[in-house]
Amino acid sequence: MVNGAKIYGLVLSGGKSTRMGQDKGLLMYHGNPQREYLYGMLNTVCVKTFLSIRKEQASEITPKFKTIVDTNEYDGPYNGLLSAYKKYPNVAWLVLACDLPLMNVESLKELIAVRNVKKHPLATSFALKENPLPEPLCAIWEPEALKQSIICLQTQKASSPRKFLIKNNVDLVFPSHEEALLNANSMEDYKAAIGKISTV
């Protein structure tokens, strides 16, 4: 690991999954719930890993999984991300959304390998070559980025993690296997992802 803040993993699994119609974190792609699958992957490359959850989800989680309950101070994905930051403000967070069924350990290692805190980027984020915008929910957020995000949210009516990264110093990483960034946000996406997994 590059010298700098140690990396904790965070699976964002507290969303309502409105478009999917059911909890995306509980979908089965690889033989166990997606949130647990991603947790296991992050645990292989991070110092510690946590599931970001809503308060009402806490009873569903077995003790072997560390959790951080959303504080509900912020809207959208920032809710889980900044809840984690406030609990552990001195670490970098490798964040994964639950809608990444083709994510793999090799891609995570690629992301971590590019991280270079000496350049002082606020984040190291995956992106697609044909649409080189940062993927904020598949990225390493440095502590300073999250500190500045809170200031940004306090001074602007609305902002999003992606807009924040676009406006700031971020290193982009184009994964060797772009399918790792496939988003599954509907049942059609889910079926397509299952089809891809079954042919591997």
Side-chain angles (χ1 to χ4, degrees):
M1 185 176 73
V2 176
N3 289 333
K6 56 189 174 183
I7 302 175
Y8 282 8
L10 187 69
V11 181
L12 290 174
S13 54
K16 297 290 183 69
S17 305
T18 305
R19 280 179 288 173
M20 183 64 75
Q22 57 183 295
D23 191 335
K24 289 185 285 189
L26 297 179
L27 292 173
M28 308 283 271
Y29 293 101
H30 305 276
N32 56 342
Q34 176 66 357
R35 66 189 181 195
E36 296 181 13
Y37 179 77
L38 294 177
Y39 184 103
M41 281 201 300
L42 285 173
N43 231 10
T44 67
V45 296
C46 298
V47 176
K48 291 183 181 179
T49 300
F50 296 86
L51 293 175
S52 168
I53 61 171
R54 303 188 309 276
K55 184 177 180 180
E56 59 266 30
Q57 292 175 298
S59 61
E60 306 170 1
I61 311 297
T62 62
K64 69 177 181 177
F65 297 103
K66 297 182 181 72
T67 61
I68 295 177
V69 178
D70 291 345
T71 59
N72 297 320
E73 294 180 68
Y74 307 96
D75 294 327
Y78 260 139
N79 192 21
L81 187 52
L82 293 176
S83 296
Y85 166 72
K86 288 193 171 185
K87 189 155 187 174
Y88 299 99
N90 299 314
V91 305
W93 288 95
L94 200 175
V95 181
L96 288 181
C98 270
D99 56 5
L100 296 166
L102 303 184
M103 182 52 61
N104 54 74
V105 173
E106 291 72 23
S107 294
L108 295 179
K109 288 180 178 178
E110 279 187 295
L111 185 69
I112 292 170
V114 173
R115 181 187 183 222
N116 186 347
V117 295
K118 292 180 180 179
K119 289 174 57 184
H120 304 295
L122 292 180
T124 307
S125 173
F126 272 133
L128 294 172
K129 289 181 179 178
E130 65 269 22
N131 186 28
L133 296 174
E135 294 285 350
L137 307 186
C138 193
I140 301 170
W141 288 73
E142 301 297 336
E144 184 63 23
L146 298 170
K147 178 182 178 181
Q148 290 188 27
S149 290
I150 291 176
I151 296 170
C152 181
L153 289 168
Q154 290 170 341
T155 57
Q156 298 181 20
K157 287 187 177 181
S159 187
S160 69
R162 172 170 276 177
K163 287 179 181 178
F164 176 84
L165 293 184
I166 289 172
K167 293 178 181 178
N168 287 282
N169 180 24
V170 176
D171 282 342
L172 296 182
V173 180
F174 303 108
S176 298
H177 302 286
E178 289 195 344
E179 284 191 343
L181 299 184
L182 174 74
N183 291 111
N185 288 306
S186 66
M187 285 308 298
E188 290 75 17
D189 295 339
Y190 169 76
K191 292 173 184 176
I194 288 292
K196 290 180 180 294
I197 291 167
S198 66
T199 60
V200 174

